Amino acid sequence: YVSDIFSPEMFSIISIAIILVLMCLKKTNLAIFFLISIVGAVSTQFFLKKFVAILRPINSFITETGLSFPSGHATIPLVFFFFLFLLISQLKIKNSLKIFSAVIFVFLTILVSFSRLYLGVHYLSDILGGLTLGLFWLTFGFLAVNLFSQKSVN
């Protein structure tokens, strides 16, 4: 299943590796941006599930445990793939390759997110809530790093 390959746990492990590589390459601002975004998204998603406490749909193709809203399978891939696109967009490669990577990452985010809807383990509101949460944390991480960078320069 797409959901198994692109699980939040898999994204978390790869995210740790990316952060460590960025720190070794002295790309501290990018590492902090990604760390804020991914940790914020994962932790907020966890607490929202407990706070909102929406049960999963009962007629699903697979059995899932836990609560439904927001979908971690929507939140985490959005943050992860957007960040990968940000890294790729900074490379000195052809614009067509950058556009191609953007299309692939958007496709993968949609595929993973809506596979959960297809499998019947989430409602549409769970997916949309997860995507919104991911966008929020990307924006927050970006603004926080930019604000920190400006203050450290002044």
Side-chain angles (χ1 to χ4, degrees):
Y1 291 120
V2 170
S3 292
D4 293 333
I5 296 169
F6 294 107
S7 69
E9 295 80 14
M10 188 272 306
F11 281 116
S12 298
I13 292 166
I14 295 173
S15 296
I16 291 167
I18 288 172
I19 290 166
L20 291 173
V21 167
L22 289 170
M23 294 300 287
C24 288
L25 295 173
K26 305 229 186 292
K27 301 286 186 181
T28 309
N29 280 354
L30 282 173
I32 292 170
F33 166 47
F34 190 48
L35 182 66
I36 289 170
S37 299
I38 204 80
V39 170
V42 168
S43 59
T44 306
Q45 176 248 328
F46 174 80
F47 287 114
L48 275 174
K49 280 187 183 284
K50 301 293 182 199
F51 181 73
V52 177
I54 294 176
L55 298 176
R56 292 184 181 273
I58 52 174
N59 295 325
S60 60
F61 288 116
I62 61 172
T63 302
E64 281 286 348
T65 59
L67 298 167
S68 188
F69 181 88
S71 169
H73 280 82
T75 307
I76 308 310
L78 185 129
V79 172
F80 184 85
F81 288 130
F82 180 87
F83 186 77
L84 281 186
F85 173 71
L86 178 70
L87 291 177
I88 288 172
S89 70
Q90 294 181 356
L91 297 174
K92 292 181 186 337
I93 59 174
K94 293 181 181 179
N95 282 341
S96 59
L97 290 174
K98 293 177 185 180
I99 292 169
F100 179 73
S101 71
V103 169
I104 293 299
F105 292 149
V106 167
F107 173 76
L108 287 173
T109 300
I110 291 169
L111 179 69
V112 173
S113 298
F114 286 93
S115 72
R116 307 298 286 172
L117 194 61
Y118 172 78
L119 291 172
V121 294
H122 280 295
Y123 299 104
L124 180 59
S125 59
D126 304 337
I127 302 301
L128 297 176
L131 293 172
T132 303
L133 183 62
L135 285 174
F136 168 81
W137 278 105
L138 281 168
T139 304
F140 182 84
F142 178 77
L143 293 174
V145 167
N146 282 329
L147 182 64
F148 174 76
S149 295
Q150 288 174 357
K151 286 191 180 214
S152 64
V153 170
N154 294 333

